[in-house]
Amino acid sequence: MPPTLSTVNPSQGPTTGGTTVTLTGSGLTGATAVRFGSTPAASYTVNSSTQITAVSPAGAAGAVAVTVTSPTGTSNAVTFTYVAAAVPVITGVAPTSGPTSGGTSVTITGTGFTGATAVNFGATPAASFTVISAGQITAVTPPGSPGGAAVTVTTPGGTSSASANAYFFYAAPPVLNAASPAQGPTAGGTLVTLTGSSLLNAGAVLFGSTNATSFTVVSSTQITVTAPPGTGSSPITVITPGGTSNPVGFAYVAPPTLAGLAPNSGPTSAGTVVTLTGANLATATTVAFGTVPVAFTVVSDTQVTAVAPAGAAGPVTVTVTTTGGTSAGLTYTRVATPGI
């Protein structure tokens, strides 16, 4: 009694062949041939008396009869349809940029991706890829050189053509050379100029682990950024599609405080040397008696000496301004010289 066939699954495949199909039926033991139309299967395996797996040969678009032959005869036919595979088309790549080191997970959208056998970035195969559907592939970028790389998908229907929507741009890693100024108050607000290279398309500027909320990419070699509040040493880094830059130093300076003046009074004439004591005085930029800046010497982080200016008799407020801000004032009193 000849074999019988009941189903073929899947029931269609590309004209290029290579589809693995499962044939079910009965009396399949000892099969000597599996044919798609008049063409022998590329290969086949008899799994049991009720199942054969076969690989379709190449064929013309359209339906063909699949049959199994054994020593007892040839089976009835089941239908397999050859479908002309469409050339894949890419309509989008996201994200469109990433580091030259590779490793970016990219979603490719378009049509005709079923059966994709290759995804390339320029001439380099993707590190890996997964066909999600006929309209979507996820791929991991290989390493590449700075610049644009055409993304292509190859299927049994052919290879997609390059288009404006099918490019991935490799970005060189950002490099920082300097931050100016390299310190500022703990309250933040210092406008810092960063210089370096490959700074375009920066997505974040960090002071330590804190994101700066305000920055401007001036050029590929310069960024201006407003320092957020912080304390201590907070190295600055820049993040771009090319990766994270090397750090450059930035230090937060605590605001100055004054604890005492010695002496705390003097004549209305100039020249009295006053010793100011306190904390966080090392970066002093100004000592003022009222609104009048005076000559001064930073002795240590806790001591500054200043020369009192001439002024009217009475109290005047003494302040110290440093990189960390301006201190609260202490009172210095000018005493008029008694008349004769």
Side-chain angles (χ1 to χ4, degrees), residues 119-126 142 149-150 152:
V119 175
N120 277 33
F121 289 77
T124 307
T152 57

Side-chain angles (χ1 to χ4, degrees), residues 11-324:
S11 61
Q12 65 177 27
T15 56
T16 52
T19 303
T20 299
V21 301
T22 300
L23 303 170
T24 57
S26 61
L28 304 180
T29 302
T32 57
V34 175
R35 289 184 172 82
F36 287 70
S38 60
T39 305
S43 64
Y44 69 91
T45 301
V46 178
N47 301 316
S48 67
S49 64
T50 60
Q51 186 181 90
I52 290 175
T53 55
V55 177
S56 65
V64 296
V66 180
T67 57
V68 172
T69 299
S70 74
T72 60
T74 298
S75 71
N76 60 298
V78 290
T79 300
F80 180 85
T81 303
Y82 281 104
V83 178
V87 176
V89 174
I90 296 176
T91 58
V93 174
T96 58
S97 60
T100 54
S101 57
T104 302
S105 180
V106 174
T107 298
I108 303 168
T109 53
T111 59
F113 295 160
T114 301
T117 56
V119 175
N120 277 33
F121 289 77
T124 307
S128 64
F129 69 92
T130 301
V131 179
I132 305 299
S133 67
Q136 187 178 100
I137 290 175
T138 58
V140 176
T141 61
S145 301
V151 181
T152 57
V153 172
T154 299
T155 71
T159 298
S160 63
S161 59
S163 71
N165 296 323
Y167 266 84
F168 182 84
F169 293 89
Y170 283 102
V175 175
L176 287 179
N177 296 330
S180 180
Q183 56 185 13
T186 56
T190 302
L191 185 64
V192 179
T193 298
L194 303 174
T195 54
S197 60
S198 303
L199 303 180
L200 291 177
N201 301 313
V205 178
L206 281 73
F207 285 67
S209 60
T210 304
N211 272 298
T213 57
S214 176
F215 67 90
T216 301
V217 178
V218 179
S219 68
S220 65
T221 61
Q222 187 179 101
I223 291 176
T224 57
V225 57
T226 301
T231 58
S233 175
S234 294
I236 302 173
T237 53
V238 172
I239 298 174
T240 73
T244 300
S245 74
N246 59 294
V248 290
F250 184 86
Y252 284 101
V253 180
T257 59
L258 287 180
L261 303 176
N264 60 9
S265 62
T268 55
S269 58
T272 301
V273 176
V274 180
T275 299
L276 292 70
T277 56
N280 305 316
L281 306 179
T283 61
T285 55
T286 305
V287 175
F289 282 65
T291 60
V292 179
V294 301
F296 68 92
T297 300
V298 176
V299 179
S300 69
D301 194 46
T302 60
Q303 187 177 101
V304 172
T305 59
V307 179
V316 63
T317 299
V318 180
T319 58
V320 175
T321 298
T322 71
T323 304

